[in-house]
Amino acid sequence: MTQKRALVVRGGWEGHEPVKATELFLPFLRDNGYAVRVEESTDVYADTAEMAATDLVVQCVTMSQITPEQLAGLRAAVVAGTGFTGWHGGIADSFRASSDYLHLVGGQFATHPGKEPCERRGEASDNFLPHTITLTDAGRAHPVTAGIEDFELRTEQYWVLHDDLIDVLATTTHPVRPWEPWHRSVTSPAVWTRHWGAGRIVVTTPGHSLDVLEHPDVRTIIERGMLWATRTASAS
């Protein structure tokens, strides 16, 4: 059997600790038989030969920028069967200026609501709210999330703008709060998959900090997502 090849691409905003965050998952990939290449920029996406030989891309690049050549290489690889996955801002808040990237992923971070203004201290924790990750019926049957029950987190709760081509495995609901301008609760996808050409995409929105990534359910979803997104035999 040919060894699977995983490409880990990390960088962007340092607040999400892209190096430490991705290092958490390198042993999992290697233990599952992947040959792992780590890159500190998206330059590799423009290397068509490397991308064609890659079975899975794990991206952790918050904000930042991507060139048309790099994005074209990533999109072409996914269409041809390369899997694409990541968590939090490393995939759902990447390359804000690129509408074509948004089109590929199917959902974009819009905001993470915060505490009541009088409780804020100018720290990252101002945006840490208790919330529930709720499995959908599809999620309860999907290999990425099967057997996982609804669970609670206290961290950033992503409000996501998205299209109808994603398959939502879990959601989170933003309630009405007196200090916020919206007038009814809003439900956002928290975990979703997407088929793009022959490729599979998995996005997991929790993952702001290492402790969230180490949450048993979050980590399980991310790791299963890596396996599920990897190029399948039919897409080889």
Side-chain angles (χ1 to χ4, degrees), residues 2-163:
T2 303
Q3 186 176 32
K4 295 293 186 181
R5 296 182 61 182
L7 172 64
V8 176
V9 180
R10 61 196 187 189
W13 184 59
E14 286 295 330
H16 285 152
E17 299 186 274
V19 173
K20 290 182 179 179
T22 51
E23 291 290 330
L24 286 177
F25 297 97
L26 298 186
F28 172 83
L29 288 167
R30 293 179 176 128
D31 289 347
N32 278 273
Y34 291 79
V36 180
R37 174 177 175 176
V38 178
E39 291 290 334
E40 310 296 336
S41 83
T42 53
D43 290 346
V44 66
Y45 288 162
D47 184 337
T48 55
E50 177 65 24
M51 295 301 292
T54 297
D55 299 297
L56 174 69
V57 175
V58 180
Q59 180 181 280
C60 185
V61 183
T62 303
M63 296 181 279
S64 193
Q65 296 179 342
I66 191 168
T67 69
E69 295 77 16
Q70 292 164 5
L71 181 58
L74 174 61
R75 284 169 59 95
V78 174
V79 167
T82 300
F84 186 51
T85 192
W87 54 86
H88 202 61
I91 191 169
D93 189 22
S94 310
F95 323 127
R96 293 178 180 178
S98 175
S99 59
D100 285 339
Y101 176 80
L102 170 58
H103 192 213
L104 171 69
V105 175
Q108 172 66 49
F109 162 80
T111 192
H112 38 60
K115 298 175 181 176
E116 187 171 359
C118 65
E119 297 180 0
R120 300 177 190 178
R121 300 293 180 264
E123 302 170 349
S125 59
D126 289 349
N127 298 315
F128 293 177
L129 297 175
H131 59 280
T132 303
I133 304 297
T134 304
L135 276 292
T136 64
D137 290 342
R140 295 186 186 282
H142 196 281
V144 170
T145 43
I148 293 176
E149 300 297 328
D150 299 350
F151 58 95
E152 305 296 320
L153 294 174
R154 181 183 290 271
T155 184
E156 291 181 349
Q157 182 185 22
Y158 264 22
W159 182 312
V160 174
L161 307 179
H162 59 96
D163 66 28

